[in-house]
Amino acid sequence: MTSKPKVGISLYSYGWDIKTGKMTVKDAIDNAASLNVDGVELVDKQHIPNYPHASVYDLIELRDYIESYGLKVSCYSTYIDDLMRTDQRATPEECTKMLLDDIAEAKVLGTKIIRPAMAQVNIKWLPLVKTVMTNVLPTLKKNDIKQALEIHAPLPPKAILEFVKGMNDDYIGLCPDFSAWQMNKQPGMTDLSDKSIAETVASFSEMNPIELLEECMPYTIHVHAKAHAFKDGEEVTIPYDKLIPIISKSGYSGYISTEFEGWMMDEVDSREIAKTHVELVRRYL
Amino acid sequence: MLPEDSIRNVDANRDGKIEGFQFRLRNPWYTSQPISSLVKLIISVDGEKFEPEKVTLNVRGQEIVLPKAYTMYDVNWGFPESIDVFVEKAGGLKLGNHELSCEIIMRSTIEYGLPEEKINFPTKKLMNVLK
């Protein structure tokens, strides 16, 4: 029997309605559950009460609420805030401490995957990432949690792929983000008032060869099905019809987690978006 | 970012004298951020600007004078969360409509490649002071 990917929703997708107070995190979980997905992804800086001082009781409550629907926490997406201080970048030990805290939270949440965003925009920081990842490896193994390094523009996907190959450890894998296969600049970007910011954010998406996803799949432990806008049920700039079948055929059995980011540009109906997005992934599975 | 009915004059000492006004301000960032990421908060009402020393943030009951915020790494502005912003102005604002302008500049705590890792969130709103 061949394995099939699981479909999940990142609660990041409900960003507009959570940010504006129209939905709570629990409302978002309710909605995800109504779409019969297998799991929900949490983002530490958006969904954990009192971040960064997470209470174990709040984490347990969140996990139990998700599991009461028969769902799992598919992935815990975290940020290593290495520019927290105004006078200097965090040291490797400080980054390690942040990541160890995230892993402890992931353990309580019951997830098997953690995705720490760390030094994502410049290849020169990869040695720092390696040091921090190596520092936390024993903890990851002891707790049976794998760490996903995200393939996310503007870093070249090849560099991340080679980095993960070089780490050569089952507990370190890839999380391809579909923004790396986006055909055009993100819709809505031209509406941003600040040109330099618009250009920077636009550079976070890039059209790479489709075949590159095939190459990534043996190392992939989580997938971010990124989207910015839909028309007639299709993502306007990302070729889901090509990307999803590659994942299906690879034998990958982890989560494809829908991650809608269009709410950064414009007001949206998160529930409608989540439904459209999940249907899109399922159409090509 | 600015709830319409949130502005009001404040008599903090309850001595019958108005010391200033306050309003609610929602975190404009897409995640929770430390208060230290607030690089600038320039407040003006009907064109009158207020010095940072006159501005106090109230974050879950914790009062932070604006110039101190820049080095407060361990107090977070949640997502979503609105905080109270108090502006010292003897006598407060006259009742009625005022144009409130908040120019907010926030700094990212991870590297995105933005110029100086900062984003500007300018906002203006006509606010009705009822009391």
Side-chain angles (χ1 to χ4, degrees):
Chain A
M1 196 177 108
T2 53
S3 49
K4 218 180 152 192
K6 295 185 272 287
V7 178
I9 298 180
S10 171
L11 297 193
Y12 184 85
S13 305
Y14 297 90
W16 177 264
D17 282 325
I18 292 178
K19 179 175 176 170
T20 52
K22 290 176 191 155
M23 286 177 92
T24 64
V25 171
K26 283 187 176 174
D27 291 337
I29 295 166
D30 295 342
N31 183 257
S34 76
L35 298 171
N36 296 315
V37 291
D38 302 302
V40 294
E41 179 170 345
L42 297 171
V43 178
D44 62 350
K45 292 179 79 170
Q46 289 187 338
H47 308 130
I48 303 300
N50 298 315
Y51 174 89
H53 308 293
S55 140
V56 71
Y57 307 107
D58 285 335
L59 295 172
I60 289 170
E61 188 182 331
L62 199 50
R63 178 197 67 200
D64 289 350
Y65 194 78
I66 290 165
E67 293 189 352
S68 72
Y69 280 112
L71 307 177
K72 288 283 181 194
V73 178
S74 60
C75 174
Y76 187 39
S77 274
T78 72
Y79 294 88
I80 305 302
D81 281 327
D82 57 346
L83 299 180
M84 179 77 85
R85 292 182 63 88
T86 42
D87 54 351
Q88 63 178 31
R89 193 176 275 271
T91 69
E93 282 184 16
E94 287 171 323
C95 291
T96 301
K97 168 73 170 68
M98 287 186 241
L99 186 47
L100 286 173
D101 287 347
D102 293 345
I103 294 167
E105 290 159 18
K107 179 72 175 178
V108 178
L109 290 168
T111 185
K112 296 292 180 191
I113 306 284
I114 187 167
R115 188 254 32 196
M118 179 166 41
Q120 289 207 124
V121 299
N122 196 318
I123 205 163
K124 74 178 177 184
W125 299 116
L126 284 177
L128 167 72
V129 175
K130 185 176 180 179
T131 301
V132 175
M133 280 189 157
T134 306
N135 288 348
V136 303
L137 253 181
T139 306
L140 289 171
K141 290 181 181 182
K142 215 177 285 176
N143 291 286
D144 195 25
I145 294 170
K146 294 182 178 180
Q147 177 171 314
L149 198 60
E150 192 163 6
I151 289 191
H152 197 304
L155 279 192
K158 271 277 189 194
I160 305 297
L161 174 61
E162 292 309 316
F163 177 86
V164 165
K165 280 184 183 175
M167 290 298 286
N168 193 27
D169 196 295
D170 287 346
Y171 279 82
I172 292 178
L174 289 171
C175 170
D177 181 286
F178 283 3
S179 63
W181 289 277
Q182 188 160 305
M183 288 180 289
N184 302 307
K185 296 298 181 196
Q186 295 172 13
M189 278 294 113
T190 48
D191 299 336
L192 286 182
S193 53
D194 189 316
K195 270 273 174 260
S196 57
I197 292 170
E199 282 166 15
T200 304
V201 180
S203 77
F204 274 39
S205 58
E206 198 181 339
M207 182 61 194
N208 286 291
I210 294 284
E211 300 71 38
L212 195 57
L213 183 59
E214 275 173 354
E215 244 183 279
C216 292
M217 286 317 297
Y219 303 92
T220 293
I221 57 175
H222 193 65
V223 173
H224 278 165
K226 176 65 59 64
H228 294 100
F230 301 105
K231 195 179 175 193
D232 302 327
E234 299 289 332
E235 215 289 338
V236 295
T237 58
I238 297 172
Y240 274 64
D241 59 330
K242 295 188 175 67
L243 297 171
I244 299 287
I246 288 173
I247 298 167
S248 284
K249 283 177 199 156
S250 72
Y252 170 76
S253 60
Y255 286 90
I256 298 176
S257 192
T258 61
E259 191 187 66
F260 178 75
E261 200 164 53
W263 62 273
M264 307 267 278
M265 275 72 83
D266 213 351
E267 183 175 345
V268 291
D269 177 343
S270 303
R271 290 179 176 88
E272 196 55 42
I273 288 286
K275 183 171 178 283
T276 303
H277 205 167
V278 166
E279 283 171 358
L280 171 60
V281 170
R282 286 193 171 130
R283 193 176 312 138
Y284 295 111
L285 259 186
Chain B
M1 278 156 48
L2 294 165
E4 274 169 39
D5 55 359
S6 71
I7 196 161
R8 63 185 176 87
N9 288 316
V10 177
D11 171 12
N13 302 331
R14 300 191 176 181
D15 58 358
K17 288 179 187 162
I18 301 287
E19 289 96 21
F21 62 93
Q22 75 174 45
F23 57 90
R24 304 280 285 168
L25 181 63
R26 196 181 70 210
N27 178 2
W29 203 258
Y30 79 104
T31 62
S32 168
Q33 280 294 98
I35 285 294
S36 61
S37 65
L38 192 55
V39 176
K40 267 189 187 167
L41 173 58
I42 303 166
I43 295 168
S44 54
V45 175
D46 303 328
E48 181 190 355
K49 271 190 189 176
F50 296 91
E51 292 301 315
E53 291 75 15
K54 302 279 184 193
V55 177
T56 302
L57 312 177
N58 189 318
V59 186
R60 301 178 295 279
Q62 303 161 103
E63 292 187 350
I64 301 163
V65 182
L66 191 54
K68 298 279 183 197
Y70 197 46
T71 49
M72 297 200 71
Y73 309 111
D74 222 23
V75 175
N76 260 53
W77 194 354
F79 177 92
E81 185 176 25
S82 295
I83 59 174
D84 282 322
V85 179
F86 171 78
V87 182
E88 191 184 322
K89 178 177 168 65
L93 297 171
K94 283 184 186 167
L95 300 187
N97 284 330
H98 295 274
E99 187 184 66
L100 174 64
S101 161
C102 287
E103 191 185 348
I104 306 171
I105 300 176
M106 288 181 80
R107 181 178 62 84
S108 176
T109 43
I110 64 169
E111 190 176 339
Y112 286 112
L114 300 168
E116 298 182 73
E117 298 300 336
K118 289 173 190 168
I119 296 186
N120 192 355
F121 300 94
T123 181
K124 265 185 196 175
K125 201 166 189 176
L126 201 61
M127 306 282 275
N128 191 5
V129 181
L130 295 170
K131 56 180 179 180

